[in-house]
Amino acid sequence: MICKLCSTYIKPLCFMAATQSKKRWESMTHLSPPAMRWRTSTSPAPVLTVTPARGLVDEPISIKAGFMPPQYPVTLCAQMRSEKGDLWEAFGHYKTSADGTVNLARDHSVGGSYLGCEPMGLFWALQPAPGERDGLRLRKKNVETPFIVDISLLEGHVTPRERENSELAVATTERWYMAPGVQRIDIRQNGVVGTLFLPPGPGRFPAVLDVWGMGGGLVEYRSSLAASRGFASFSIAYMEHKDLTVQLDIDSSDAYMKKAIDILRDHPQICGDRIGVISLCYGVYLTLRTATLADVNVRCTVMYSCVLKNLSCPLLYVLGEDDQNLSSTENSKLVHINGLKTAGKSYLYTRLSYPGAGHLIEPPYAPHTRMSYWRVKPEKLPTLWGGNIVSHAAAQEESWREILKFLDKNLRGHLSSYARCNVTE
């Protein structure tokens, strides 16, 4: 309905309040007039702002709402569709401050998907909506398109199922995995299958080889983010991909990994002597021997949840102490005490250990998955990853920041953050 007094959209009850007497209005509703002053035609409608409206998934979002009564109950709700069409959602219950505003960087959720002051809770607390498929894990396949997240301001402390009759304002934000100017290049060379991401500009850039776990296929979203932060990144497939001629194992991986690093080293926009490796789970086993070979000479290694020895370059070990998939804590002790310390190389070792975090430590603000179905031919089996939602979210945010600092220190050296290598040929 359009208000004749201010030409703005208002609910039918608001129109009645503007045209009928105060006494009659009180008799028609259970809510007293003082609590509903903002719903009259002479007051501005509630406003919801979500900034930036377009940004990278590892960037924080500012969510604010205003023009409401003080101490008024409202719900902030986030909803988005996965690439397969599954609905994911999260919500928090808030009360407005004395000036009638809500600011997620300041105010505490008193109920819903999370509690407390959590500015990004609407993102990392996303879970499959009731009625969606069981055992889902949110992973981005096409990094050249964003996730579209709808943020709603709802009246009262309600659930997303009740949004139709309680929606006060809506805003949308796009969450991208590639910054403007990042190049995505398909690589099918010398038997190597992968995707190379180059940062904006001519280079030359420091680079990382990005190797994932036994889920197989070609996983690109960590590489595209790394390139968005100034590092050329080469994500490779080694199993479960249609273009692979051979499925690799730990005994046959050396030649393949060398070829992948040579592709980076020979690229004209990449600093050939500033290459690192970042790997997860089973992918670590495949890269370990490669990283220790003298003729490969990688500058640094970032590992998630696995064992290592005989390393000669700086190592950042990231682990979740509630990892239910691998014995990450025990492995980290073996790496340090039985491996690097015994060899007199403790100075190479840095460990990031997170209580309450599970196996799947992703880039920041990704929804936590404690259990998901994992395809193990010929069927899908439930796999327990571990972690609790709040601690895991904190681990993802801090570890990504520390990984970028580690790569910057060891691949750029004295150069300023995100600067080009500019190697003299």
Side-chain angles (χ1 to χ4, degrees), residues 107-141:
D107 299 325
H108 289 241
S109 169
V110 297
S113 303
Y114 58 92
L115 299 173
C117 183
E118 298 289 354
M120 293 297 290
L122 290 178
F123 296 87
W124 54 252
L126 286 165
Q127 293 293 301
E132 298 295 330
R133 295 178 295 155
D134 294 330
L136 294 176
R137 177 185 174 192
L138 188 66
R139 303 183 81 185
K140 197 72 171 72
K141 297 293 185 181

Side-chain angles (χ1 to χ4, degrees), residues 25 43 79-80 112 120 140 142 178 193 216 259 266 318 346:
W25 165 246
S43 300
Q79 291 186 320
M80 57 166 281
M120 293 297 290
K140 197 72 171 72
N142 182 2
M178 285 177 59
V193 176
K259 290 178 182 178
D266 295 340
V318 182
S346 292

Side-chain angles (χ1 to χ4, degrees), residues 10-296:
I10 54 175
K11 293 184 176 181
L13 287 180
C14 296
F15 178 73
M16 294 171 62
T19 57
Q20 298 180 11
S21 67
K22 179 178 177 182
K23 182 176 181 180
R24 185 177 179 185
W25 165 246
E26 292 177 354
S27 69
M28 295 179 64
T29 179
H30 297 294
L31 298 175
S32 61
M36 302 298 291
R37 283 195 300 267
W38 58 276
R39 299 185 69 172
T40 67
S41 62
T42 58
S43 300
V47 172
L48 175 65
T49 60
V50 178
T51 54
R54 180 182 295 111
L56 294 172
V57 296
D58 62 354
E59 294 177 343
I61 292 286
S62 172
I63 301 176
K64 300 177 181 179
F67 296 110
M68 294 173 289
Q71 297 300 307
Y72 197 75
V74 294
T75 298
L76 271 299
C77 169
Q79 291 186 320
M80 57 166 281
R81 293 278 178 183
S82 71
E83 289 170 309
K84 292 187 176 181
D86 301 295
L87 179 64
W88 290 65
E89 63 185 21
F91 64 102
H93 293 157
Y94 294 86
K95 281 193 174 181
T96 60
S97 62
D99 62 354
T101 64
V102 172
N103 183 344
L104 267 61
R106 175 196 67 196
D107 299 325
H108 289 241
S109 169
V110 297
S113 303
Y114 58 92
L115 299 173
C117 183
E118 298 289 354
M120 293 297 290
L122 290 178
F123 296 87
W124 54 252
L126 286 165
Q127 293 293 301
E132 298 295 330
R133 295 178 295 155
D134 294 330
L136 294 176
R137 177 185 174 192
L138 188 66
R139 303 183 81 185
K140 197 72 171 72
K141 297 293 185 181
N142 182 2
V143 297
E144 295 181 291
T145 63
F147 278 133
I148 307 297
V149 185
D150 293 322
I151 310 295
S152 300
L153 175 66
L154 309 179
E155 183 179 13
H157 287 167
V158 296
T159 69
R161 305 277 76 77
E162 303 168 274
R163 62 180 293 177
E164 183 176 349
N165 297 319
S166 58
E167 197 169 80
L168 301 175
V170 179
T172 298
T173 183
E174 297 179 2
R175 305 290 281 165
W176 287 85
Y177 287 80
M178 285 177 59
V182 170
Q183 298 181 61
R184 179 189 177 277
I185 304 168
D186 290 322
I187 300 293
R188 305 293 186 270
Q189 183 177 331
N190 295 333
V192 176
V193 176
T195 306
L196 175 63
F197 293 89
L198 295 175
R204 303 166 74 197
F205 305 106
V208 292
L209 181 68
D210 192 357
V211 186
W212 286 77
M214 289 189 70
L218 189 52
V219 184
E220 300 182 356
Y221 56 85
R222 188 168 61 198
S223 281
S224 61
L225 276 179
S228 299
R229 297 307 180 193
F231 301 94
S233 187
F234 187 23
S235 182
I236 60 172
Y238 58 86
M239 63 185 300
E240 298 295 327
H241 193 283
K242 62 181 179 62
D243 294 338
L244 282 172
T245 56
V246 177
Q247 306 297 311
L248 301 183
D249 57 36
I250 197 165
D251 295 320
S252 63
S253 64
D254 285 358
Y256 187 86
M257 297 299 171
K258 284 183 180 180
K259 290 178 182 178
I261 290 177
D262 284 342
I263 290 173
L264 285 174
R265 183 169 289 134
D266 295 340
H267 196 283
Q269 290 179 266
I270 290 175
C271 302
D273 63 345
R274 293 175 180 265
I275 297 174
V277 181
I278 182 169
S279 51
L280 169 72
C281 192
Y282 185 71
V284 173
Y285 289 98
L286 298 183
T287 59
L288 282 180
R289 294 193 303 184
T290 305
T292 59
L293 294 174
D295 58 341
V296 171

Side-chain angles (χ1 to χ4, degrees), residues 358-376:
H359 182 71
L360 299 175
I361 299 179
E362 304 267 35
Y365 317 127
H368 169 248
T369 301
R370 184 171 177 83
M371 186 281 294
S372 67
Y373 283 104
W374 186 27
R375 185 166 67 88
V376 179

